[in-house]
């Protein structure tokens, strides 16, 4: 018989995986893994500011992630540094600022490991409601902007010629990333969020023929990784967040085996939007 907290963790983790699947596909297609890391690292600064101003932690993380995204867009237009240099500066600076602020606030006891690596077993019913509510909003926006996002991913010039406003789509995509990071922080932690976004999407790419198939497969594989990781954590008494990422890694490694062994009737094709 499973405990209530474990069932809540399963429900929350599956809900998050369903959300991160399609979003992770765009990260893989656009080669934005380092951007995802930067957004995730800024979450700790959001946590520190939330404690300092006594506001909701998820709100603080979302606000800081949005500010970092807008700051990146502003700095990119100045053409003073390459994008990867800017991402490196923002990523490590925000993480360091968050750690310094947390260390400075000695009057507050902060579970730093919980924020860095997640504590999915501590999710509450209100957390689950937020995960599914926020996840549904993210998926609805992705479905609404699927064509503009896909067109901008393939070629921004063509997207502009067709009147699809790729700059607008990019801003919305960054907002969605900020929201998902705020949701995912409590489950897999700041340092592992990007892994949950990228690994299932990278795995799904090997077995999918179209972008739509890849998005659906990434969600399914993420859910399998969550369930496998949680049961593995229960059996081997390992940290839940890292166990989910290790399970996702295991599925990815299996996907590298010859397709004739795993799925004899599937041809080896990768969807390229």
């Amino acid at each position: 018989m499973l405990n209530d907290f474990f069932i809540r963790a399963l429900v929350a983790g599956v809900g998050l995986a369903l959300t991160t699947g399609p979003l992770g596909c765009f990260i893989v297609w656009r080669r934005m893994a380092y951007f995802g890391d930067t957004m995730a690292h800024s979450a700790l600064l959001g946590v520190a500011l939330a404690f300092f101003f006594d506001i909701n932690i998820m709100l603080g993380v979302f606000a800081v992630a949005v500010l970092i995204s807008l700051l990146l867009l502003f700095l990119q237009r100045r053409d003073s540094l390459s994008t990867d240099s800017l991402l490196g500066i923002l990523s490590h600076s925000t993480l360091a600022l968050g750690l310094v602020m947390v260390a400075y606030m000695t009057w507050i006891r902060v579970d730093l490991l919980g924020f860095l690596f997640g504590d999915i077993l501590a999710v509450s019913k209100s957390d689950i409601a937020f995960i599914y509510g926020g996840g549904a909003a993210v998926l609805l926006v992705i479905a609404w902007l699927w064509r503009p996002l896909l067109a901008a991913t393939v070629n921004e010039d063509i997207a502009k010629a067709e009147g699809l406003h790729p700059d607008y789509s990019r801003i919305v995509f960054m907002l969605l990333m900020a929201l998902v990071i705020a949701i995912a922080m409590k489950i897999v932690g700041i340092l592992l969020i990007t892994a949950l976004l990228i690994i299932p999407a990278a795995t799904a790419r090997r077995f999918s023929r179209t972008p739509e198939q890849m998005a659906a497969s990434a969600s399914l594989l993420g859910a399998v990784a969550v369930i496998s990781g949680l049961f593995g954590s229960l059996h081997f008494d390992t940290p839940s967040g890292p166990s989910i990422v290790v399970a996702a890694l295991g599925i990815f490694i299996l996907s590298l085996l010859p397709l004739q062994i795993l799925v004899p009737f599937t041809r080896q094709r990768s969807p390229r939007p």
Side-chain angles (χ1 to χ4, degrees):
M1 189 71 179
L2 298 177
N3 293 320
D4 289 343
F5 69 86
F6 191 82
I7 294 174
R8 288 197 300 270
L10 283 172
V11 173
V14 169
L16 177 63
L18 295 177
T19 305
T20 57
L23 200 63
C25 290
F26 282 103
I27 293 175
V28 170
W29 291 331
R30 295 183 175 206
R31 297 176 176 87
M32 294 178 66
Y34 203 7
F35 171 75
D37 265 340
T38 301
M39 296 277 283
H41 288 173
S42 71
L44 187 60
L45 179 58
V47 170
L49 291 173
F51 278 121
F52 188 80
F53 292 105
D54 194 23
I55 60 175
N56 182 271
I57 291 177
M58 287 188 178
L59 179 60
V61 170
F62 177 75
V64 169
V66 170
L67 288 175
I68 293 300
S69 300
L70 296 176
L71 180 60
L72 177 62
L73 288 175
F74 171 75
L75 292 175
Q76 282 178 325
R77 291 180 179 178
R78 294 177 62 90
D79 292 328
S80 56
L81 285 174
S82 61
T83 299
D84 62 332
S85 297
L86 291 173
L87 288 172
I89 293 170
L90 292 175
S91 174
H92 300 297
S93 298
T94 52
L95 182 62
L97 283 171
L99 289 170
V100 169
M101 285 193 67
V102 168
Y104 174 75
M105 291 184 289
T106 55
W107 63 90
I108 298 176
R109 185 172 181 177
V110 179
D111 180 13
L112 194 57
L113 286 179
F115 286 115
L116 292 176
F117 298 104
D119 190 8
I120 189 173
L121 298 179
V123 295
S124 62
K125 292 181 179 179
S126 60
D127 292 328
I128 292 175
F130 188 84
I131 288 168
Y132 277 84
V138 169
L139 292 177
L140 285 173
V141 173
I142 290 177
W144 178 46
L145 292 176
W146 181 261
R147 185 167 174 263
L149 284 171
L150 207 57
T153 301
V154 175
N155 191 302
E156 286 199 5
D157 293 331
I158 294 177
K160 287 180 181 178
E162 293 181 356
L164 295 176
H165 307 292
D167 292 335
Y168 168 75
S169 299
R170 186 188 299 112
I171 292 173
V172 173
F173 177 77
M174 288 181 173
L175 293 176
L176 294 179
M177 277 283 295
L179 179 58
V180 168
I181 286 171
I183 294 172
M185 179 188 62
K186 191 169 185 178
I187 294 180
V188 291
I190 291 167
L191 299 182
L192 304 177
I193 292 172
T194 314
L196 192 60
L197 283 163
I198 294 173
I199 297 177
T203 306
R205 188 169 192 169
R206 183 164 168 78
F207 300 104
S208 305
R209 298 182 180 182
T210 66
E212 292 78 11
Q213 282 185 2
M214 181 171 163
S217 299
S219 293
L220 178 61
L221 290 169
V224 172
V226 167
I227 295 170
S228 303
L230 283 175
F231 276 100
S233 173
L234 182 66
H235 181 73
F236 296 106
D237 193 24
T238 54
S240 52
S243 296
I244 291 172
V245 177
V246 169
L249 174 63
I251 296 171
F252 174 74
I253 292 174
L254 286 176
S255 75
L256 298 179
L257 296 175
L259 292 179
Q260 291 78 6
I261 296 176
L262 296 176
V263 188
F265 54 87
T266 302
R267 290 191 302 171
Q268 184 174 352
R269 293 181 62 183
S270 297
R272 296 187 180 275

